[in-house]
Amino acid sequence: MILCRTIAELKNELIKIKQSSNDPTIGLVPTMGFLHEGHASLMRQSVAENTASVLSIFVNPMQFGPNEDFERYPRDEERDLAIAKENGIDIVFMPEVKEMYPVKPRTSVIVSQLTERLCGASRPGHFDGVGLVVSKLFHLVQPDRAYFGMKDAQQIAVIQQMTDDLNFPVEIIPCPIVREPDGLALSSRNVYLTAENRQQAVVLSQSLALAKQWANEPGITSEELVSRVKAKINEAGQAEIDYVEWLIYPSLEQPSWNEPIELEESKYILALAVKFGSTRLIDNTLFVPNVVAEVKDHV
Amino acid sequence: MILCRTIAELKNELIKIKQSSNDPTIGLVPTMGFLHEGHASLMRQSVAENTASVLSIFVNPMQFGPNEDFERYPRDEERDLAIAKENGIDIVFMPEVKEMYPVKPRTSVIVSQLTERLCGASRPGHFDGVGLVVSKLFHLVQPDRAYFGMKDAQQIAVIQQMTDDLNFPVEIIPCPIVREPDGLALSSRNVYLTAENRQQAVVLSQSLALAKQWANEPGITSEELVSRVKAKINEAGQAEIDYVEWLIYPSLEQPSWNEPIELEESKYILALAVKFGSTRLIDNTLFVPNVVAEVKDHV
């Protein structure tokens, strides 16, 4: 495994890969580090599907708001490199901020509509930062496939839209959410949780699992479903709901609010963001026509 | 020479090129067609410098304002294909609007600051459309080099900025303005000019040539230089000035307005847009430290 801290080093290594094999394919796993089993599952899928796999580790300041946790975002280089190596990564690209942004960029990559709800509404500018850094990484690595976890379902929708609109020659591969045994979605931010927060946070996946049942009740409306999920989350005394939304996926349009839910009509997402203390967690689950039972097992 | 009207055909042909040679390089000449000798000079440079050259011909609706000349922009497919062939182009990519924009894009590529003056100020949204289509073309063709004429000097500055900020793996090659024997910069829009317009339009290159002399007068200010150029252009009774600007290039910042010009301090551009009847023409010339005399010959 090769560690590249500069763009020049990365380019060098990529040239070697292109020369070493006939028509090699490259997989990219873009991360902000502090890797967990969710990231590891992306790495393994990339390694299985490509000639060579690049893991990028970059805590991208452009996707953090001024009052967000950029400075205190958890970092552990040594552990990350060990996990990357264990999972068969060929190249780790781990640049400094100055390497990615030698000067303040004047170019923005902005995806409209899809970014107006969910985390886009709660975190203004967040997806502009994501669009910028993903564009940069796609151009630097020139991957055939890029792997993203479905925990950030809106991020995948935004990146897929950007990829389609701009004709990026990259296949976006969404990968399933990986969870703790009790259901909590893995997240680098879980380390912030106090013991009590951690215990209470299980309410998130529990509420999604309940929603899977509720959504099948004849005549239930979007409003009723969201309201029950909120009530369930609020049973956890430390939970402070940022949003709970029921939307069509991946367009992220709002279905009719007071009409019965038509599970066979569209693909839906139930997505939530909830703070426990100062730690904001997100989770979601998809409702796919005809395969509701199958998807239910994920939560 | 192969003509591709669809993205699928283009991809096919590009794969063939990549397989036919060891480490081939690809040159891209993006145009809106109605080709003239300016375009031909870009094609010849691309052909000389690359294994294969792609000419794109696409009148991009996204870079035209609602009251601009998208509908009446001149088109001549047959003639364009003949010129492409004569100049050694390997692939012509000539998609329909529906092929490039099957649905309304939700992604914008926006370059700030550089687009606030000159044509960016006169044509709101124009450079957003340019950023979008050039991003798409760069991803579709994946060229090593892309060739642009310096007549659109601001466009080159914007595309270079976008390329740097987003790490596009493309070298932007600016190519000199090609002119008629009397000095008029070649432009597809020149066909719109009436005989009288055409005669008067020579004032544009004449005023730039005079500015080359004036700029060397000790103590002359930006204000005085611009004012003399405007007066010269206004000698042509049909000229209606959109802008005449004296800026630092390629940052397009305004130098001090009332201080003597320091030709040795910066690279400058004198850029103008002038309407003759309903036809808007642009022209410019660069002032490069230490090589002023040499550049002067271009106009």
Side-chain angles (χ1 to χ4, degrees):
Chain A
M1 189 178 79
I2 307 278
L3 169 60
C4 302
R5 292 190 184 270
T6 67
I7 290 169
E9 286 165 356
L10 174 67
K11 287 193 173 164
N12 243 341
E13 293 305 320
L14 290 169
I15 287 171
K16 283 189 211 162
I17 288 171
K18 273 167 200 159
Q19 287 170 344
S20 70
S21 148
N22 190 23
D23 211 12
T25 63
I26 291 176
L28 170 65
V29 182
T31 79
M32 300 208 300
F34 211 73
L35 304 173
H36 52 62
E37 183 55 27
H39 300 112
S41 73
L42 306 180
M43 294 183 223
R44 286 193 296 270
Q45 188 166 343
S46 175
V47 168
E49 294 179 352
N50 299 282
T51 317
S53 290
V54 178
L55 172 77
S56 66
I57 299 180
F58 180 60
V59 186
N60 173 34
M62 301 289 289
Q63 72 189 67
F64 287 80
N67 299 314
E68 293 183 0
D69 57 350
F70 172 67
E71 289 300 341
R72 71 169 196 132
Y73 195 86
R75 293 158 168 91
D76 188 340
E77 248 185 63
E78 208 174 322
R79 195 168 142 272
D80 284 352
L81 291 176
I83 293 173
K85 199 167 179 182
E86 266 167 38
N87 286 283
I89 288 294
D90 300 282
I91 298 174
V92 176
F93 178 50
M94 187 151 53
E96 296 288 326
V97 171
K98 269 282 165 210
E99 183 74 7
M100 289 295 273
Y101 302 112
V103 295
K104 191 170 181 294
R106 292 175 173 180
T107 307
S108 310
V109 180
I110 296 172
V111 179
S112 63
Q113 289 171 281
L114 290 174
T115 54
E116 284 161 16
R117 295 180 159 275
L118 306 174
C119 291
S122 306
R123 305 181 66 187
H126 168 68
F127 285 111
D128 301 348
V130 170
L132 183 65
V133 80
V134 170
S135 295
K136 289 170 76 75
L137 289 169
F138 281 4
H139 291 149
L140 290 170
V141 177
Q142 298 176 58
D144 297 275
R145 300 183 187 90
Y147 298 80
F148 296 89
M150 268 302 286
K151 187 164 76 69
D152 298 293
Q154 185 177 22
Q155 174 173 276
I156 291 183
V158 168
I159 291 170
Q160 184 65 63
Q161 178 82 41
M162 176 186 96
T163 300
D164 293 346
D165 283 343
L166 301 185
N167 303 98
F168 273 101
V170 180
E171 190 182 352
I172 307 302
I173 315 274
C175 302
I177 298 176
V178 178
R179 297 177 180 282
E180 299 283 3
D182 69 359
L184 181 69
L186 295 192
S187 165
S188 304
R189 289 187 172 98
N190 289 351
V191 296
Y192 297 151
L193 296 169
T194 64
E196 204 181 350
N197 287 162
R198 171 65 189 82
Q199 228 170 359
Q200 295 207 354
V202 74
V203 76
L204 304 184
S205 57
Q206 283 173 351
S207 70
L208 294 176
L210 284 167
K212 278 280 152 98
Q213 299 171 25
W214 294 331
N216 284 293
E217 287 181 16
I220 190 169
T221 62
S222 307
E223 184 177 21
E224 172 65 17
L225 182 68
V226 166
S227 151
R228 287 195 204 171
V229 171
K230 285 183 174 172
K232 172 69 189 168
I233 292 170
N234 282 327
E235 286 176 11
Q238 297 178 338
E240 189 194 324
I241 294 175
D242 177 355
Y243 64 75
V244 174
E245 292 209 59
W246 169 255
L247 301 171
I248 296 167
Y249 192 85
S251 70
L252 304 184
E253 290 161 324
Q254 185 149 41
S256 68
W257 189 236
N258 297 306
E259 307 278 317
I261 289 172
E262 301 278 7
L263 283 184
E264 294 304 310
E265 292 295 298
S266 304
K267 194 166 166 182
Y268 295 97
I269 188 167
L270 183 66
L272 50 83
V274 177
K275 281 180 104 169
F276 290 88
S278 60
T279 304
R280 183 176 171 280
L281 302 179
I282 59 174
D283 201 349
N284 71 78
T285 190
L286 286 186
F287 295 68
V288 181
N290 296 317
V291 286
V292 175
E294 189 184 318
V295 172
K296 200 152 67 181
D297 299 336
H298 281 218
V299 173
Chain B
M1 189 178 79
I2 309 277
L3 169 60
C4 302
R5 293 191 185 271
T6 68
I7 288 169
E9 288 165 353
L10 174 67
K11 285 193 174 165
N12 243 340
E13 293 304 319
L14 290 169
I15 288 171
K16 283 189 212 164
I17 288 171
K18 273 167 200 159
Q19 288 170 344
S20 70
S21 147
N22 190 21
D23 211 13
T25 62
I26 291 176
L28 170 65
V29 182
T31 78
M32 300 209 301
F34 211 74
L35 304 172
H36 52 62
E37 183 54 27
H39 300 112
S41 72
L42 305 180
M43 295 183 221
R44 286 192 297 269
Q45 189 167 341
S46 175
V47 169
E49 294 179 352
N50 298 283
T51 316
S53 290
V54 178
L55 173 77
S56 66
I57 299 180
F58 180 60
V59 185
N60 173 34
M62 301 289 289
Q63 72 191 68
F64 287 79
N67 299 313
E68 291 183 1
D69 57 351
F70 172 67
E71 289 300 339
R72 71 169 196 132
Y73 195 86
R75 292 158 169 93
D76 189 341
E77 249 185 63
E78 206 174 323
R79 194 169 142 273
D80 284 352
L81 292 175
I83 294 172
K85 198 166 179 182
E86 267 166 38
N87 286 283
I89 288 295
D90 301 281
I91 298 175
V92 176
F93 178 50
M94 187 153 52
E96 296 288 327
V97 171
K98 268 283 166 212
E99 182 73 7
M100 289 294 274
Y101 302 111
V103 294
K104 192 171 180 296
R106 291 174 174 180
T107 306
S108 309
V109 180
I110 296 172
V111 178
S112 62
Q113 290 172 283
L114 290 174
T115 55
E116 285 161 15
R117 297 180 157 274
L118 306 173
C119 291
S122 306
R123 304 182 67 188
H126 168 66
F127 284 112
D128 301 348
V130 170
L132 182 65
V133 79
V134 170
S135 295
K136 288 170 76 75
L137 290 169
F138 281 4
H139 291 150
L140 290 169
V141 177
Q142 296 177 59
D144 298 273
R145 300 183 186 90
Y147 298 80
F148 295 90
M150 268 301 287
K151 187 164 76 67
D152 298 293
Q154 185 178 20
Q155 173 173 275
I156 291 182
V158 168
I159 291 171
Q160 184 66 63
Q161 178 82 41
M162 176 185 97
T163 300
D164 293 345
D165 283 343
L166 301 185
N167 303 97
F168 273 101
V170 181
E171 189 182 353
I172 307 302
I173 315 274
C175 303
I177 298 175
V178 179
R179 297 177 180 282
E180 299 282 4
D182 69 359
L184 181 69
L186 295 192
S187 165
S188 304
R189 290 186 171 98
N190 289 351
V191 295
Y192 298 151
L193 297 168
T194 64
E196 205 182 349
N197 288 161
R198 170 64 189 83
Q199 228 170 0
Q200 294 207 355
V202 73
V203 76
L204 303 184
S205 56
Q206 283 173 352
S207 70
L208 294 176
L210 284 167
K212 279 279 154 101
Q213 299 171 26
W214 293 332
N216 283 291
E217 288 182 16
I220 189 168
T221 63
S222 307
E223 183 178 22
E224 172 65 16
L225 183 68
V226 166
S227 151
R228 285 194 204 173
V229 170
K230 285 183 172 172
K232 172 68 189 171
I233 293 170
N234 282 327
E235 286 175 12
Q238 298 178 337
E240 190 194 323
I241 293 174
D242 177 355
Y243 64 73
V244 174
E245 292 208 60
W246 169 255
L247 301 171
I248 295 166
Y249 193 84
S251 69
L252 303 183
E253 290 161 323
Q254 187 150 41
S256 68
W257 190 234
N258 297 305
E259 307 278 317
I261 290 172
E262 300 278 6
L263 284 183
E264 294 304 309
E265 291 295 300
S266 303
K267 194 166 165 181
Y268 295 97
I269 189 167
L270 182 66
L272 50 83
V274 176
K275 282 180 103 170
F276 290 89
S278 60
T279 305
R280 184 174 171 282
L281 302 179
I282 59 174
D283 201 350
N284 71 77
T285 190
L286 286 186
F287 295 68
V288 181
N290 295 320
V291 285
V292 175
E294 189 185 320
V295 173
K296 201 152 71 183
D297 298 339
H298 281 218
V299 174

